[in-house]
Amino acid sequence: MGIPSKEVRMEIRHICKSFPGVKAVDDVSFDIRKGEIHVLIGENGAGKSTLLKMLAGIYSIDAGEILLEGKPYHPKNVIDAQKNGVAMIHQELNMMQNRTVAQNVFVGREPYRMEKLKLVDHRRMLRECREVLESLDIDLQPDALVKDLSIAQQQMVELTKAISMRSSLLIMDEPTSSLTTKEIDNLFRITRQLKESGTSVLFISHRMEEILEIGDRVTVMRDGCYVGTREVEHLEMQELITMMIGRSLEDVYCRNYQEAGREALRLQNLTGLRFRNVSLEVRQGEVVGLAGLVGAGRTEIAKAVFGYEPVEGGSIFVQGEELKERFYTPRKAIQKSISFLPENRKEEGLFLDWPIRSNITQVALNQISKGIFIDKKKEESLSDSQIEALKIITTSGEKKVLELSGGNQQKVVVAKWLMTKSRVFIFDEPTRGIDVGAKSEIYEIIDRLASEGAAILIISSDMPELIGLSDRIYTMKDGEIIGMLDRKKKAFSQEVILKLIMEGGCADE
């Protein structure tokens, strides 16, 4: 890997940005060098996204200045930023689904056969798109429709688009949040290739291991302010965590392990969409992990238990009683005290345009209703108590959920299910896309629930998280349970779990 230049490509000087009721970015200064991968980290709500949007021309700055190649840089809009060589790949992809890869790559920059008549030269566009794809060793066809591509492939299209603009600074906002390990390796390969060519990359991530693997320098933000910049080569991880959250985090996985109680959830030979003959149990006061590669069937099991997807065979027992409903639905699952926190919180766990308060109380209307009317005072009282208890950062319970950071959105999902007083909780990727501080708070909630006797089933692709939280871990491969590991027998090991879920075999420790 080449050594990044000491020459500065972009210098950010004392920039500020405010919105009604909040100062999102406050006097932030740092620089980005030529040909370096500069990682920007911070808790959700630290001001990272606002800063990125100012660099990319989405927001204007209120104060301070930005220098690009030593000259003042104040983009009027995204197109102006792109003309200056600054492009951004957003975490939430926004693509034309019914158009081709080439059409998405060259949108707004289409080559013309006859300039005056604005006739698009489709042949040239396909050829030039293919050349960029081949140069990056990306296995995509320029004429493929975007709607037929996976999320990872769509991200590669966005990357191709940015590179085709010959950007000198590429901003990547949480690019790995929805990718598999193999897809992340491919993204990192291309990112290093860009670095070798002299492109600067500003890389936003919540994953500590990515900082060490891909970064040259890392800048930390907290509460809208600049905290510091460190060379990754000399980085101490504990120092970095302290910089991010303003306090030491000695034990991230705060579990008070205890003796499990009675059986709370049992699956017996359960068969459904992409899983078969699954048998497992979760007892009161116990956290049970479910490990497996993407596509192993873990999420499908969770949705089947919650009545979200059909069961083709086998049985579900809750508190020792078999569920025999002919039409088993999420409503029935809630009545049986089962809660499900989905992997995709934005599409399946929240109403983004609704206020925080309404999201928290949506599954507990019986607690705040007077006949057909909502008791607003009771709704406010109950939701505010959850906002306070879970430390949801907001100026008001009436604020729309879409305005919250990812970590606070996840807390709203948790708050909603705590309102139901459930005894069985299913967490599907509970900390995906949230920072280390918010993760710690989610872990504290999980531990508290277990201490109060709740049964918890956790699905996670974060192996240290699964090992740190679980009393037992079931391993899955190709839709089947292939083994169970028990903490008491000291059987937990990242190497053993990975070997099982990748190679199969059998484990019952």
Side-chain angles (χ1 to χ4, degrees):
M1 186 183 293
I3 299 172
S5 167
K6 296 291 184 181
E7 292 182 61
V8 173
R9 171 148 282 144
M10 176 177 280
E11 188 174 358
I12 297 158
R13 296 180 175 174
H14 307 291
I15 67 172
C16 302
K17 183 67 180 180
S18 295
F19 299 99
V22 62
K23 194 158 192 176
V25 175
D26 186 9
D27 193 28
V28 169
S29 301
F30 67 97
D31 62 57
I32 303 166
R33 297 171 181 168
K34 294 181 180 180
E36 83 162 336
I37 300 172
H38 195 120
V39 182
L40 180 65
I41 66 169
E43 294 189 84
N44 291 103
K48 304 186 303 296
S49 294
T50 301
L51 174 63
L52 300 185
K53 288 175 181 177
M54 287 190 281
L55 303 184
I58 299 169
Y59 293 156
S60 60
I61 65 175
D62 292 345
E65 66 174 339
I66 306 171
L67 299 180
L68 181 63
E69 310 289 359
K71 299 176 182 178
Y73 168 75
H74 298 291
K76 301 180 184 67
N77 49 46
V78 173
I79 293 174
D80 191 23
Q82 291 172 351
K83 286 179 179 177
N84 280 279
V86 179
M88 179 172 174
I89 300 174
H90 296 267
Q91 182 180 5
E92 305 294 335
L93 299 176
N94 185 20
M95 308 187 72
M96 299 182 294
Q97 295 291 319
N98 291 311
R99 300 291 181 90
T100 66
V101 169
Q103 286 171 323
N104 273 273
V105 167
F106 287 96
V107 61
R109 305 178 296 120
E110 296 86 350
Y112 296 114
R113 283 188 288 117
M114 298 179 67
E115 187 69 34
K116 290 184 179 179
L117 296 177
K118 299 294 182 184
L119 294 177
V120 176
D121 190 339
H122 290 282
R123 186 175 296 177
R124 178 183 161 193
M125 187 166 64
L126 287 170
R127 184 182 70 250
E128 291 184 2
C129 182
R130 183 175 285 107
E131 288 172 357
V132 181
L133 289 167
E134 288 178 352
S135 72
L136 299 171
D137 197 23
I138 296 174
D139 186 19
L140 286 177
Q141 294 302 315
D143 56 354
L145 290 177
V146 166
K147 69 178 182 181
D148 296 328
L149 305 180
S150 68
I151 294 296
Q153 289 173 321
Q154 290 186 31
Q155 206 157 39
M156 290 297 116
V157 175
E158 285 279 31
L159 187 59
T160 304
K161 176 181 174 181
I163 293 168
S164 72
M165 296 174 185
R166 294 178 172 81
S167 306
S168 59
L169 173 59
L170 180 59
I171 301 168
M172 297 184 179
D173 187 6
E174 291 282 352
T176 64
S177 60
S178 301
L179 304 186
T180 64
T181 302
K182 184 177 179 181
E183 291 162 348
I184 290 171
D185 289 342
N186 192 36
L187 176 69
F188 283 1
R189 175 187 61 79
I190 295 170
T191 305
R192 292 188 184 102
Q193 192 174 327
L194 290 172
K195 170 185 168 176
E196 294 289 344
S197 69
T199 301
S200 302
V201 178
L202 184 58
F203 191 98
I204 287 71
S205 178
H206 281 127
R207 298 177 176 178
M208 293 295 167
E209 65 274 13
E210 291 181 354
I211 297 167
L212 299 174
E213 183 173 350
I214 197 70
D216 295 306
R217 290 192 297 160
V218 55
T219 288
V220 180
M221 289 182 67
R222 185 173 73 241
D223 298 331
C225 300
Y226 171 81
V227 177
T229 299
R230 299 287 186 272
E231 298 280 347
V232 169
E233 184 181 359
H234 308 295
L235 189 64
E236 291 289 339
M237 195 56 68
Q238 186 57 51
E239 179 194 11
L240 187 62
I241 292 173
T242 302
M243 289 170 70
M244 283 180 64
I245 65 177
R247 63 185 189 277
S248 177
L249 203 62
E250 297 299 331
D251 187 4
V252 177
Y253 307 107
C254 49
R255 276 299 315 281
N256 294 302
Y257 303 104
Q258 59 188 2
E259 283 298 318
R262 295 171 52 198
E263 172 194 297
L265 174 68
R266 176 160 54 95
L267 311 184
Q268 187 171 302
N269 299 321
L270 200 68
T271 298
L273 184 66
R274 288 192 284 278
F275 65 89
R276 58 193 175 276
N277 299 323
V278 168
S279 295
L280 61 81
E281 70 166 354
V282 189
R283 290 169 287 176
Q284 294 172 354
E286 186 179 41
V287 178
V288 171
L290 197 54
L293 299 176
V294 173
R298 299 170 303 163
T299 293
E300 288 78 10
I301 290 173
K303 289 184 174 181
V305 173
F306 191 63
Y308 194 76
E309 288 186 355
V311 171
E312 297 171 7
S315 304
I316 301 172
F317 294 83
V318 179
Q319 311 298 347
E321 179 186 348
E322 184 177 1
L323 302 184
K324 294 183 177 180
E325 279 82 1
R326 185 177 177 186
F327 298 106
Y328 181 52
T329 63
R331 182 185 293 273
K332 295 280 179 67
I334 294 169
Q335 290 172 355
K336 296 292 183 181
S337 294
I338 300 174
S339 290
F340 174 50
L341 290 81
E343 175 184 11
N344 190 340
R345 60 177 173 263
K346 291 188 176 181
E347 292 185 14
E348 298 179 335
L350 296 165
F351 292 99
L352 295 176
D353 284 325
W354 283 20
I356 299 168
R357 188 162 287 139
S358 301
N359 271 277
I360 289 176
T361 58
Q362 65 172 283
V363 293
L365 294 178
N366 61 318
Q367 296 182 43
I368 59 169
S369 299
K370 287 184 176 180
I372 61 172
F373 299 103
I374 300 294
D375 184 334
K376 289 294 183 182
K377 286 187 177 179
K378 197 164 187 180
E379 180 187 40
E380 184 176 338
S381 173
L382 289 175
S383 59
D384 284 353
S385 66
Q386 291 289 350
I387 290 170
E388 182 180 356
L390 272 64
K391 302 175 186 174
I392 298 171
I393 300 173
T394 179
T395 53
S396 166
E398 291 300 319
K399 191 173 185 177
K400 289 185 177 180
V401 169
L402 60 83
E403 298 175 36
L404 298 179
S405 65
N408 284 300
Q409 287 181 357
Q410 186 72 325
K411 289 183 194 176
V412 172
V413 181
V414 175
K416 174 180 73 174
W417 291 113
L418 290 180
M419 290 283 291
T420 66
K421 298 178 173 54
S422 296
R423 304 311 299 152
V424 176
F425 288 84
I426 304 172
F427 288 80
D428 191 357
E429 301 289 359
T431 62
R432 172 166 287 175
I434 65 176
D435 60 77
V436 66
K439 282 183 179 182
S440 178
E441 291 174 338
I442 295 294
Y443 299 154
E444 287 175 8
I445 292 167
I446 290 171
D447 181 64
R448 176 167 60 83
L449 289 171
S451 298
E452 293 171 354
I456 300 168
L457 179 66
I458 288 186
I459 298 165
S460 178
S461 300
D462 185 332
M463 202 61 65
E465 174 176 277
L466 211 56
I467 292 171
L469 293 175
S470 303
D471 295 285
R472 294 181 296 117
I473 296 175
Y474 288 92
T475 54
M476 285 193 71
K477 188 176 189 295
D478 299 330
E480 294 184 301
I481 297 286
I482 55 174
M484 190 274 290
L485 304 171
D486 193 326
R487 175 179 296 279
K488 289 180 181 177
K489 298 180 180 179
K490 298 181 180 179
F492 283 9
S493 156
Q494 190 161 331
E495 290 75 20
V496 169
I497 295 170
L498 285 172
K499 184 177 176 65
L500 286 169
I501 65 179
M502 293 179 74
E503 299 177 12
C506 183
D508 193 0
E509 301 294 337

